[in-house]
Amino acid sequence: MASKMVTNFRRSLSFHNHPSYNSAKPKKTLHARSASLPCRSHPIISQLRDKVDDLNDRATSESGLRTSGWLCDGLARMKMVHDLLDDLLQLPQTRESLRGGGQHADLMEKLLEDFLRFVEVYGMFQTLVLRLKEECSAAQIAVRRRDDSKIIVHSKNLNRIGKEISNLVCSFHSMGKLIMPAVSSHDEEAELIEVINDVIKVTIVISTTVFGVISNSSAFRKPPSIGLSFKKKVKSEEGIKELEEINLDNLLGLRKKTEEDVKDVSKKMHEMEDCIVEIEGSGERVFRSLINSRVSLLNILTQ
């Protein structure tokens, strides 16, 4: 029985809102160049490797307190990498090289499993970020009403969700660990698998950073005890600036505060919610791009 093609998400042009980072040439130009090149590698592979290197440099060169803009920009760059990978997987020569029966069939199956795991993890991440947004909205109401009992409940819920986001990192432990054969100029299939595995590795690096800085932010973490204050202070510097501005456990006793104080707290919480909304949108775009990459890979293996 002929296997069926899996339909990709239709990519929206509005997603590409970082033109300064998108140096890829139009597909038609790339296809025309590839026909005249004496080497077997397609220009998209070189572009993809450059993008992966840039992402790795970005992840390792910056540390300490980050902003939500930095985080969302990293997710946007990672989406571009997966969009470029999807373009590579759509090429006829790529599909021909990777289609069934090759000596690297087992590696291809492992890559497919890794992409499935990415889709699952980012699906869970989207659910958790939605819960963060809902808890933040409910907490704002409790702050305006100066309801300490509700503030305590929402603080515990935010802390619990933050831990769940941190635990997503454990999903990557068995991923990106392919034992790659040496790539020669005559093994196009091995070269393609290698670059796909490089994309998986950099996706793990960026995702781990994203999940870590969110969960380490004080908005989703209990305030430090006296004995652990120094350790917690160091850890809090790895969070997101907009999510370091407030901690619900520190807001108890609002009934004794002035109206101006309550308004100031409400403003910070509104900014925190806006930050979460931005992260939610960036995560959603990455989620769809990951699905596209896996669908393209699956179609190659099942045709």
Side-chain angles (χ1 to χ4, degrees):
M1 179 182 297
S3 55
K4 296 183 179 179
M5 290 282 288
V6 184
T7 304
N8 295 43
F9 278 102
R10 189 170 185 177
R11 196 179 305 158
S12 171
L13 292 177
S14 62
F15 287 169
H16 296 281
N17 54 359
H18 295 274
S20 60
Y21 302 126
N22 189 4
S23 61
K25 295 180 180 296
K27 291 183 181 179
K28 291 183 178 179
T29 303
L30 292 174
H31 292 178
R33 287 179 58 195
S34 66
S36 59
L37 286 175
C39 61
R40 297 171 66 90
S41 297
H42 194 281
I44 290 183
I45 293 180
S46 297
Q47 295 178 36
L48 194 51
R49 283 174 172 158
D50 289 342
K51 297 284 187 183
V52 167
D53 289 343
D54 288 343
L55 265 182
N56 279 319
D57 290 343
R58 179 180 177 80
T60 57
S61 63
E62 298 183 41
S63 60
L65 195 64
R66 281 104 168 205
T67 65
S68 61
W70 178 91
L71 185 149
C72 291
D73 182 63
L75 288 173
R77 289 172 183 245
M78 189 169 77
K79 175 191 177 297
M80 290 180 189
V81 166
H82 282 274
D83 286 347
L84 197 56
L85 174 62
D86 189 44
D87 290 341
L88 178 63
L89 294 175
Q90 296 296 330
L91 296 175
Q93 54 266 53
T94 299
R95 302 173 75 85
E96 185 65 28
S97 295
L98 298 179
R99 186 174 291 119
Q103 60 177 323
H104 308 301
D106 290 341
L107 295 181
M108 286 291 295
E109 290 292 342
K110 181 61 170 61
L111 291 175
L112 193 60
E113 291 177 7
D114 284 355
F115 273 97
L116 175 60
R117 192 59 182 150
F118 276 138
V119 171
E120 292 174 343
V121 169
Y122 269 85
M124 290 186 283
F125 177 62
Q126 286 304 105
T127 299
L128 292 172
V129 172
L130 177 60
R131 286 170 55 192
L132 283 180
K133 186 173 65 173
E134 292 172 346
E135 285 294 334
C136 187
S137 297
Q140 288 185 64
I141 297 175
V143 167
R144 288 196 295 268
R145 294 177 177 176
R146 306 187 186 208
D147 189 336
D148 282 355
S149 62
K150 290 290 186 181
I151 290 175
I152 292 174
V153 170
H154 295 308
S155 176
K156 290 180 178 178
N157 290 341
L158 287 173
N159 178 253
R160 187 179 301 111
I161 297 169
K163 287 182 179 179
E164 291 182 47
I165 291 177
S166 178
N167 290 338
L168 291 178
V169 175
C170 298
S171 304
F172 300 140
H173 287 171
S174 62
M175 297 174 60
K177 296 182 178 180
L178 296 184
I179 301 177
M180 296 300 302
V183 179
S184 69
S185 59
H186 303 291
D187 195 343
E188 185 176 355
E189 183 183 358
E191 181 185 39
L192 289 167
I193 291 176
E194 182 184 55
V195 75
I196 296 171
N197 196 47
D198 287 343
V199 170
I200 288 177
K201 288 180 178 179
V202 78
T203 301
I204 292 173
V205 170
I206 297 301
S207 300
T208 299
T209 301
V210 168
F211 300 157
V213 295
I214 293 175
S215 60
N216 284 340
S217 300
S218 63
F220 313 132
R221 196 180 63 239
K222 291 182 179 179
S225 61
I226 295 177
L228 297 176
S229 59
F230 176 75
K231 181 178 179 181
K232 291 291 185 179
K233 182 178 180 181
V234 173
K235 188 176 182 179
S236 67
E237 292 175 354
E238 300 172 355
I240 296 295
K241 180 180 179 181
E242 293 86 346
L243 304 180
E244 291 287 323
E245 299 290 334
I246 196 166
N247 187 300
L248 292 184
D249 285 337
N250 297 329
L251 299 181
L252 300 180
L254 282 176
R255 293 184 183 279
K256 300 178 182 179
K257 303 291 184 179
T258 65
E259 188 67 27
E260 192 64 28
D261 290 335
V262 175
K263 287 182 178 179
D264 183 59
V265 171
S266 296
K267 179 182 177 181
K268 288 182 178 179
M269 292 201 66
H270 182 71
E271 292 172 351
M272 183 174 76
E273 184 178 10
D274 288 343
C275 171
I276 295 172
V277 170
E278 291 178 5
I279 294 172
E280 180 185 30
S282 297
E284 173 68 18
R285 288 187 283 274
V286 169
F287 176 58
R288 289 179 175 271
S289 187
L290 287 167
I291 292 177
N292 285 341
S293 295
R294 185 180 188 273
V295 167
S296 295
L297 192 58
L298 180 62
N299 283 336
I300 293 174
L301 295 180
T302 57
Q303 283 182 6

